[in-house]
mmCIF file with all atom_site columns, all heavy atoms in Angstrom:
data_model
loop_
_atom_site.group_PDB
_atom_site.id
_atom_site.type_symbol
_atom_site.label_atom_id
_atom_site.label_alt_id
_atom_site.label_comp_id
_atom_site.label_asym_id
_atom_site.label_entity_id
_atom_site.label_seq_id
_atom_site.pdbx_PDB_ins_code
_atom_site.Cartn_x
_atom_site.Cartn_y
_atom_site.Cartn_z
_atom_site.occupancy
_atom_site.B_iso_or_equiv
_atom_site.pdbx_formal_charge
_atom_site.auth_seq_id
_atom_site.auth_comp_id
_atom_site.auth_asym_id
_atom_site.auth_atom_id
_atom_site.pdbx_PDB_model_num
ATOM 1   N N   . GLN D 1 93  ? -7.980  -9.723  -4.954 1.00 88.00 ? 100 GLN D N   1
ATOM 2   C CA  . GLN D 1 93  ? -7.977  -9.432  -3.547 1.00 88.00 ? 100 GLN D CA  1
ATOM 3   C C   . GLN D 1 93  ? -9.064  -10.213 -2.822 1.00 88.00 ? 100 GLN D C   1
ATOM 4   O O   . GLN D 1 93  ? -8.848  -10.752 -1.734 1.00 88.00 ? 100 GLN D O   1
ATOM 5   C CB  . GLN D 1 93  ? -8.165  -7.965  -3.266 1.00 88.00 ? 100 GLN D CB  1
ATOM 6   C CG  . GLN D 1 93  ? -6.938  -7.110  -3.513 1.00 88.00 ? 100 GLN D CG  1
ATOM 7   C CD  . GLN D 1 93  ? -7.199  -5.639  -3.226 1.00 88.00 ? 100 GLN D CD  1
ATOM 8   O OE1 . GLN D 1 93  ? -8.311  -5.167  -3.231 1.00 88.00 ? 100 GLN D OE1 1
ATOM 9   N NE2 . GLN D 1 93  ? -6.118  -4.901  -3.015 1.00 88.00 ? 100 GLN D NE2 1
ATOM 10  N N   . ARG D 1 94  ? -10.257 -10.256 -3.397 1.00 88.00 ? 101 ARG D N   1
ATOM 11  C CA  . ARG D 1 94  ? -11.375 -10.988 -2.792 1.00 88.00 ? 101 ARG D CA  1
ATOM 12  C C   . ARG D 1 94  ? -11.028 -12.475 -2.683 1.00 88.00 ? 101 ARG D C   1
ATOM 13  O O   . ARG D 1 94  ? -11.298 -13.102 -1.653 1.00 88.00 ? 101 ARG D O   1
ATOM 14  C CB  . ARG D 1 94  ? -12.645 -10.803 -3.603 1.00 88.00 ? 101 ARG D CB  1
ATOM 15  C CG  . ARG D 1 94  ? -13.252 -9.432  -3.439 1.00 88.00 ? 101 ARG D CG  1
ATOM 16  C CD  . ARG D 1 94  ? -14.528 -9.327  -4.206 1.00 88.00 ? 101 ARG D CD  1
ATOM 17  N NE  . ARG D 1 94  ? -15.064 -7.983  -4.100 1.00 88.00 ? 101 ARG D NE  1
ATOM 18  C CZ  . ARG D 1 94  ? -15.817 -7.428  -5.021 1.00 88.00 ? 101 ARG D CZ  1
ATOM 19  N NH1 . ARG D 1 94  ? -16.113 -8.062  -6.148 1.00 88.00 ? 101 ARG D NH1 1
ATOM 20  N NH2 . ARG D 1 94  ? -16.268 -6.201  -4.855 1.00 88.00 ? 101 ARG D NH2 1
ATOM 21  N N   . ASN D 1 95  ? -10.501 -13.050 -3.768 1.00 86.00 ? 102 ASN D N   1
ATOM 22  C CA  . ASN D 1 95  ? -10.172 -14.453 -3.741 1.00 86.00 ? 102 ASN D CA  1
ATOM 23  C C   . ASN D 1 95  ? -9.092  -14.735 -2.702 1.00 86.00 ? 102 ASN D C   1
ATOM 24  O O   . ASN D 1 95  ? -9.161  -15.745 -1.995 1.00 86.00 ? 102 ASN D O   1
ATOM 25  C CB  . ASN D 1 95  ? -9.668  -14.892 -5.122 1.00 86.00 ? 102 ASN D CB  1
ATOM 26  C CG  . ASN D 1 95  ? -10.774 -14.922 -6.151 1.00 86.00 ? 102 ASN D CG  1
ATOM 27  O OD1 . ASN D 1 95  ? -11.955 -14.930 -5.808 1.00 86.00 ? 102 ASN D OD1 1
ATOM 28  N ND2 . ASN D 1 95  ? -10.411 -14.892 -7.415 1.00 86.00 ? 102 ASN D ND2 1
ATOM 29  N N   . LYS D 1 96  ? -8.129  -13.857 -2.588 1.00 82.00 ? 103 LYS D N   1
ATOM 30  C CA  . LYS D 1 96  ? -7.039  -14.049 -1.621 1.00 82.00 ? 103 LYS D CA  1
ATOM 31  C C   . LYS D 1 96  ? -7.602  -13.949 -0.206 1.00 82.00 ? 103 LYS D C   1
ATOM 32  O O   . LYS D 1 96  ? -7.221  -14.718 0.679  1.00 82.00 ? 103 LYS D O   1
ATOM 33  C CB  . LYS D 1 96  ? -5.955  -13.023 -1.851 1.00 82.00 ? 103 LYS D CB  1
ATOM 34  C CG  . LYS D 1 96  ? -4.704  -13.274 -1.040 1.00 82.00 ? 103 LYS D CG  1
ATOM 35  C CD  . LYS D 1 96  ? -3.613  -12.293 -1.417 1.00 82.00 ? 103 LYS D CD  1
ATOM 36  C CE  . LYS D 1 96  ? -2.337  -12.560 -0.648 1.00 82.00 ? 103 LYS D CE  1
ATOM 37  N NZ  . LYS D 1 96  ? -1.273  -11.697 -1.017 1.00 82.00 ? 103 LYS D NZ  1
ATOM 38  N N   . ALA D 1 97  ? -8.500  -13.003 0.031  1.00 80.00 ? 104 ALA D N   1
ATOM 39  C CA  . ALA D 1 97  ? -9.100  -12.857 1.346  1.00 80.00 ? 104 ALA D CA  1
ATOM 40  C C   . ALA D 1 97  ? -9.909  -14.087 1.720  1.00 80.00 ? 104 ALA D C   1
ATOM 41  O O   . ALA D 1 97  ? -9.876  -14.516 2.891  1.00 80.00 ? 104 ALA D O   1
ATOM 42  C CB  . ALA D 1 97  ? -9.992  -11.623 1.372  1.00 80.00 ? 104 ALA D CB  1
ATOM 43  N N   . ARG D 1 98  ? -10.622 -14.668 0.774  1.00 77.00 ? 105 ARG D N   1
ATOM 44  C CA  . ARG D 1 98  ? -11.401 -15.878 1.065  1.00 77.00 ? 105 ARG D CA  1
ATOM 45  C C   . ARG D 1 98  ? -10.491 -17.052 1.397  1.00 77.00 ? 105 ARG D C   1
ATOM 46  O O   . ARG D 1 98  ? -10.802 -17.867 2.259  1.00 77.00 ? 105 ARG D O   1
ATOM 47  C CB  . ARG D 1 98  ? -12.251 -16.247 -0.139 1.00 77.00 ? 105 ARG D CB  1
ATOM 48  C CG  . ARG D 1 98  ? -13.458 -15.373 -0.289 1.00 77.00 ? 105 ARG D CG  1
ATOM 49  C CD  . ARG D 1 98  ? -14.373 -15.867 -1.396 1.00 77.00 ? 105 ARG D CD  1
ATOM 50  N NE  . ARG D 1 98  ? -15.292 -14.838 -1.760 1.00 77.00 ? 105 ARG D NE  1
ATOM 51  C CZ  . ARG D 1 98  ? -15.402 -14.333 -2.945 1.00 77.00 ? 105 ARG D CZ  1
ATOM 52  N NH1 . ARG D 1 98  ? -14.680 -14.788 -3.963 1.00 77.00 ? 105 ARG D NH1 1
ATOM 53  N NH2 . ARG D 1 98  ? -16.256 -13.350 -3.184 1.00 77.00 ? 105 ARG D NH2 1
ATOM 54  N N   . GLN D 1 99  ? -9.349  -17.131 0.732  1.00 73.00 ? 106 GLN D N   1
ATOM 55  C CA  . GLN D 1 99  ? -8.441  -18.246 0.947  1.00 73.00 ? 106 GLN D CA  1
ATOM 56  C C   . GLN D 1 99  ? -7.736  -18.163 2.297  1.00 73.00 ? 106 GLN D C   1
ATOM 57  O O   . GLN D 1 99  ? -7.334  -19.185 2.854  1.00 73.00 ? 106 GLN D O   1
ATOM 58  C CB  . GLN D 1 99  ? -7.388  -18.295 -0.168 1.00 73.00 ? 106 GLN D CB  1
ATOM 59  C CG  . GLN D 1 99  ? -7.938  -18.685 -1.490 1.00 73.00 ? 106 GLN D CG  1
ATOM 60  C CD  . GLN D 1 99  ? -6.921  -18.552 -2.615 1.00 73.00 ? 106 GLN D CD  1
ATOM 61  O OE1 . GLN D 1 99  ? -5.804  -18.108 -2.396 1.00 73.00 ? 106 GLN D OE1 1
ATOM 62  N NE2 . GLN D 1 99  ? -7.341  -18.924 -3.820 1.00 73.00 ? 106 GLN D NE2 1
ATOM 63  N N   . THR D 1 100 ? -7.552  -16.964 2.841  1.00 66.00 ? 107 THR D N   1
ATOM 64  C CA  . THR D 1 100 ? -6.770  -16.777 4.033  1.00 66.00 ? 107 THR D CA  1
ATOM 65  C C   . THR D 1 100 ? -7.657  -16.469 5.267  1.00 66.00 ? 107 THR D C   1
ATOM 66  O O   . THR D 1 100 ? -7.150  -16.097 6.290  1.00 66.00 ? 107 THR D O   1
ATOM 67  C CB  . THR D 1 100 ? -5.723  -15.684 3.896  1.00 66.00 ? 107 THR D CB  1
ATOM 68  O OG1 . THR D 1 100 ? -6.356  -14.459 3.522  1.00 66.00 ? 107 THR D OG1 1
ATOM 69  C CG2 . THR D 1 100 ? -4.701  -16.084 2.833  1.00 66.00 ? 107 THR D CG2 1
ATOM 70  N N   . MET D 1 101 ? -8.966  -16.596 5.118  1.00 61.00 ? 108 MET D N   1
ATOM 71  C CA  . MET D 1 101 ? -9.862  -16.295 6.238  1.00 61.00 ? 108 MET D CA  1
ATOM 72  C C   . MET D 1 101 ? -9.798  -17.411 7.271  1.00 61.00 ? 108 MET D C   1
ATOM 73  O O   . MET D 1 101 ? -9.988  -18.581 6.955  1.00 61.00 ? 108 MET D O   1
ATOM 74  C CB  . MET D 1 101 ? -11.283 -16.139 5.723  1.00 61.00 ? 108 MET D CB  1
ATOM 75  C CG  . MET D 1 101 ? -12.245 -15.592 6.747  1.00 61.00 ? 108 MET D CG  1
ATOM 76  S SD  . MET D 1 101 ? -13.923 -15.459 6.128  1.00 61.00 ? 108 MET D SD  1
ATOM 77  C CE  . MET D 1 101 ? -13.729 -14.639 4.596  1.00 61.00 ? 108 MET D CE  1
ATOM 78  N N   . TRP D 1 102 ? -9.503  -17.066 8.493  1.00 60.00 ? 109 TRP D N   1
ATOM 79  C CA  . TRP D 1 102 ? -9.380  -18.046 9.589  1.00 60.00 ? 109 TRP D CA  1
ATOM 80  C C   . TRP D 1 102 ? -10.234 -17.628 10.773 1.00 60.00 ? 109 TRP D C   1
ATOM 81  O O   . TRP D 1 102 ? -10.443 -16.459 11.002 1.00 60.00 ? 109 TRP D O   1
ATOM 82  C CB  . TRP D 1 102 ? -7.952  -18.164 10.054 1.00 60.00 ? 109 TRP D CB  1
ATOM 83  C CG  . TRP D 1 102 ? -7.040  -18.719 9.026  1.00 60.00 ? 109 TRP D CG  1
ATOM 84  C CD1 . TRP D 1 102 ? -6.321  -18.057 8.080  1.00 60.00 ? 109 TRP D CD1 1
ATOM 85  C CD2 . TRP D 1 102 ? -6.759  -20.121 8.785  1.00 60.00 ? 109 TRP D CD2 1
ATOM 86  N NE1 . TRP D 1 102 ? -5.631  -18.933 7.280  1.00 60.00 ? 109 TRP D NE1 1
ATOM 87  C CE2 . TRP D 1 102 ? -5.858  -20.206 7.724  1.00 60.00 ? 109 TRP D CE2 1
ATOM 88  C CE3 . TRP D 1 102 ? -7.182  -21.292 9.423  1.00 60.00 ? 109 TRP D CE3 1
ATOM 89  C CZ2 . TRP D 1 102 ? -5.382  -21.406 7.228  1.00 60.00 ? 109 TRP D CZ2 1
ATOM 90  C CZ3 . TRP D 1 102 ? -6.686  -22.491 8.947  1.00 60.00 ? 109 TRP D CZ3 1
ATOM 91  C CH2 . TRP D 1 102 ? -5.801  -22.524 7.861  1.00 60.00 ? 109 TRP D CH2 1
ATOM 92  N N   . ILE D 1 103 ? -10.682 -18.593 11.515 1.00 56.00 ? 110 ILE D N   1
ATOM 93  C CA  . ILE D 1 103 ? -11.405 -18.342 12.768 1.00 56.00 ? 110 ILE D CA  1
ATOM 94  C C   . ILE D 1 103 ? -10.513 -18.880 13.883 1.00 56.00 ? 110 ILE D C   1
ATOM 95  O O   . ILE D 1 103 ? -10.045 -20.006 13.822 1.00 56.00 ? 110 ILE D O   1
ATOM 96  C CB  . ILE D 1 103 ? -12.755 -19.086 12.761 1.00 56.00 ? 110 ILE D CB  1
ATOM 97  C CG1 . ILE D 1 103 ? -13.646 -18.485 11.679 1.00 56.00 ? 110 ILE D CG1 1
ATOM 98  C CG2 . ILE D 1 103 ? -13.427 -18.963 14.136 1.00 56.00 ? 110 ILE D CG2 1
ATOM 99  C CD1 . ILE D 1 103 ? -14.975 -19.226 11.551 1.00 56.00 ? 110 ILE D CD1 1
ATOM 100 N N   . LEU D 1 104 ? -10.274 -18.075 14.898 1.00 54.00 ? 111 LEU D N   1
ATOM 101 C CA  . LEU D 1 104 ? -9.476  -18.505 16.018 1.00 54.00 ? 111 LEU D CA  1
ATOM 102 C C   . LEU D 1 104 ? -10.363 -19.034 17.165 1.00 54.00 ? 111 LEU D C   1
ATOM 103 O O   . LEU D 1 104 ? -11.153 -18.284 17.715 1.00 54.00 ? 111 LEU D O   1
ATOM 104 C CB  . LEU D 1 104 ? -8.603  -17.358 16.529 1.00 54.00 ? 111 LEU D CB  1
ATOM 105 C CG  . LEU D 1 104 ? -7.558  -16.862 15.544 1.00 54.00 ? 111 LEU D CG  1
ATOM 106 C CD1 . LEU D 1 104 ? -6.807  -15.654 16.136 1.00 54.00 ? 111 LEU D CD1 1
ATOM 107 C CD2 . LEU D 1 104 ? -6.572  -17.956 15.190 1.00 54.00 ? 111 LEU D CD2 1
#
Side-chain angles (χ1 to χ4, degrees):
Q100 283 181 339
R101 286 181 184 153
N102 291 342
K103 189 174 182 179
R105 284 187 196 121
Q106 291 172 357
T107 58
M108 190 181 311
W109 293 91
I110 296 175
L111 295 177

